[in-house]
Amino acid sequence: MLGTAGAETTLIHAGRLLAVPGEAVKVKQSVLVRDNQIERVIDGFVDPATLANGDELPRVIDLRGFFVLPGLIDAHVHLAHAPGPNELPEGIFESEADIALTAAHHAAITLQAGFTTVVDLGTIGTPGHDEAIYALRDAIKDGKVPGPRIISVGNPIAATSQSRSTLYRGDVDTVMDYSSVCDGPDDCRRAVREQVRRGADIINFFNTGSLLAANPVEQAMTDAEMRAIVETAHALGRRVIADGHHAAGIAAAIRAGADVIDSAHLYDDNTFELLGPDTFFQSHIYGVVLAIGDSPDTLTDGLWGWLPMPLLERFYAIKTRPFAMMEAYRAGVKNLVYASDAGVYAWGDNARDLVEFVKRGMSPNEAIQTATVNAARMLDMADEIGTLAPGRTADLIAVRGDPLKDIEALTRVQFVMRAGIIYRAPGR
């Protein structure tokens, strides 16, 4: 469903409203939406006749039996990917149109699951992948296709031999798109500028080797290269995500001034102490839980059971130690952001990391904050998304039940509005 183009004014009657995650829930609230923005939040179920503009009555959406909250934000997805063996990038056999249509399919499912904004962290070496995601981003923004608001990195920046993509013989490799691969500070500045020129909203770089490599390096770039990336991105008005797993590379990215530390599965005792008050941290759990079995004898039973045994054993070691997100939480890190790595498991289960957070010790309210107010601050979009208040974009969802008591309710979203347009309604 492409979305129901709303009347110019929409009045939502919300039985319970969590307008600002972290603050108190209010009951019997009315949310007035004009075009794509929230105009007012009013106590009580307002009679639409009192808000009529001339002879035009606002459309009324009856969510009196529902719990309403801001649309969710996921800061780490791969819209063009799907779970399963992936020894070669999809784009080797697919055109840009194929990639865009696959990503559009996943984007529509993600929106139906209640996520109204996502950050696509891209891939390296897949010809046309960035252009396909940019085209989808723009089509969604223009209302041509349904999907969440997309913040795109284009192609992640990486060092030669650490680009997670050198799969091919030399003559084939020369025709791949490695414009985001760099060597030395000056070349890394060039790579950042190239991604911004192409259309990147945010910059992502690989500060460590890949967990899928036989022998991943703990720091994939020099300190000088990382500083060049961060300084150039900031000069061009872009925030920077450091996507890596090992403690040494994480520490280097923090020293370089990266705004966001992502993944970090192989943290050490000092990792979370190094995070500054303005540094955000995000790491997923659900994808790793599904990746392999629960014992050394069942390693091949998960979604990644096709991987070589040494890699399965590596992921088992990660799965059986405290997850980075929960260790950061216990260490008192405040800037925790929801980042699911969606694309490694079935689309539609996008909210499952919220369940994992609560299962492991977060309160439901704290978990919801990671996917709303915290994520909005990380993206420097707190004045647009993440809360329901006058002047904010009308991104809101509704569920039956109370997610502050049962976080599983967020896996059963019943209503979705993004930018004032309804994409899902109870029974539809």
Side-chain angles (χ1 to χ4, degrees):
M1 182 175 66
L2 279 181
T4 305
E8 183 177 1
T9 306
T10 302
L11 181 64
I12 298 170
H13 288 159
R16 285 171 290 174
L17 179 69
L18 182 62
V20 181
E23 297 184 5
V25 175
K26 296 182 178 181
V27 298
K28 295 183 178 179
Q29 299 288 293
S30 296
V31 181
L32 181 63
V33 175
R34 193 179 303 277
D35 296 325
N36 66 343
Q37 286 192 331
I38 296 170
E39 185 172 286
R40 296 166 62 189
V41 179
I42 312 164
D43 288 331
F45 295 141
V46 174
D47 182 347
T50 66
L51 302 173
N53 181 10
D55 294 330
E56 182 183 350
L57 292 175
R59 175 183 54 176
V60 177
I61 305 298
D62 183 3
L63 297 178
R64 289 176 295 177
F66 292 81
F67 189 107
V68 178
L69 67 159
L72 301 176
I73 304 166
D74 189 338
H76 185 149
V77 305
H78 299 278
L79 287 168
H81 294 188
N86 186 25
E87 296 180 358
L88 290 174
E90 293 91 331
I92 298 304
F93 305 104
E94 297 178 341
S95 67
E96 289 182 24
D98 293 325
I99 297 170
L101 289 170
T102 296
H105 175 60
H106 296 154
I109 296 171
T110 298
L111 182 63
Q112 292 289 309
F115 286 82
T116 53
T117 301
V118 300
V119 181
D120 187 280
L121 287 195
T123 188
I124 288 179
T126 302
H129 178 278
D130 58 340
E131 296 297 336
I133 299 299
Y134 292 149
L136 176 61
R137 174 194 64 187
D138 296 343
I140 290 172
K141 181 179 179 180
D142 293 341
K144 297 175 181 177
V145 294
R149 178 181 300 99
I150 296 174
I151 310 299
S152 176
V153 309
N155 294 325
I157 294 173
T160 296
S161 83
Q162 299 300 323
S163 64
R164 309 187 188 191
S165 60
T166 52
L167 300 172
Y168 317 106
R169 59 189 238 188
D171 56 342
V172 175
D173 216 42
T174 59
V175 300
M176 305 306 291
D177 180 8
Y178 293 136
S179 61
S180 64
V181 176
C182 60
D183 297 289
D186 287 344
D187 196 33
C188 287
R189 291 188 185 95
R190 186 272 316 159
V192 172
R193 293 182 182 122
E194 174 64 15
Q195 293 311 303
V196 172
R197 182 191 71 80
R198 290 187 176 202
D201 304 299
I202 193 167
I203 295 298
N204 179 33
F205 74 94
F206 293 142
N207 52 318
T208 76
S210 170
L211 290 178
L212 296 177
N215 296 293
V217 298
E218 296 189 3
Q219 182 174 334
M221 291 182 165
T222 67
D223 285 20
E225 287 170 332
M226 293 189 196
R227 285 196 303 272
I229 290 169
V230 173
E231 291 169 0
T232 305
H234 286 174
L236 296 174
R238 302 301 192 275
R239 294 205 166 190
V240 181
I241 299 171
D243 182 0
H245 308 282
H246 300 76
I250 295 165
I254 294 171
R255 290 193 300 270
D259 302 292
V260 186
I261 300 301
D262 183 273
S263 296
H265 294 302
L266 300 178
Y267 60 88
D268 66 15
D269 292 341
N270 299 317
T271 296
F272 306 112
E273 294 180 3
L274 296 175
L275 295 171
D278 298 322
T279 307
F280 291 86
F281 184 86
Q282 54 193 48
S283 185
H284 58 280
I285 297 175
Y286 184 64
V288 178
V289 169
L290 292 186
I292 57 174
D294 294 326
S295 72
D297 297 328
T298 60
L299 294 184
T300 60
D301 288 353
L303 289 177
W304 294 356
W306 51 275
L307 287 173
M309 187 57 65
L311 297 186
L312 295 178
E313 291 169 348
R314 180 182 296 163
F315 282 104
Y316 183 70
I318 293 171
K319 183 174 179 177
T320 52
R321 75 187 298 223
F323 282 97
M325 190 71 164
M326 301 315 303
E327 285 300 282
Y329 170 73
R330 282 185 277 272
V333 176
K334 301 300 182 185
N335 295 326
L336 299 177
V337 175
Y338 191 79
S340 72
D341 202 17
V344 302
Y345 55 82
W347 291 95
D349 287 343
N350 302 65
R352 280 289 164 186
D353 264 291
L354 294 173
V355 177
E356 296 294 335
F357 295 168
V358 173
K359 185 187 299 183
R360 288 168 169 77
M362 274 191 204
S363 73
N365 210 330
E366 290 169 323
I368 293 170
Q369 288 176 61
T370 69
T372 51
V373 292
N374 291 5
R377 287 192 298 109
M378 184 274 282
L379 294 171
D380 197 23
M381 298 177 69
D383 59 347
E384 301 175 50
I385 59 177
T387 58
L388 302 178
R392 301 294 191 271
T393 301
D395 289 0
L396 54 89
I397 63 174
V399 298
R400 291 197 182 275
D402 186 346
L404 298 181
K405 296 177 180 177
D406 176 17
I407 195 68
E408 290 265 4
L410 289 178
T411 68
R412 302 183 296 271
V413 170
Q414 301 292 308
F415 176 87
V416 177
M417 171 182 279
R418 189 188 68 76
I421 297 176
I422 298 170
Y423 289 91
R424 182 168 195 155
R428 297 170 60 187

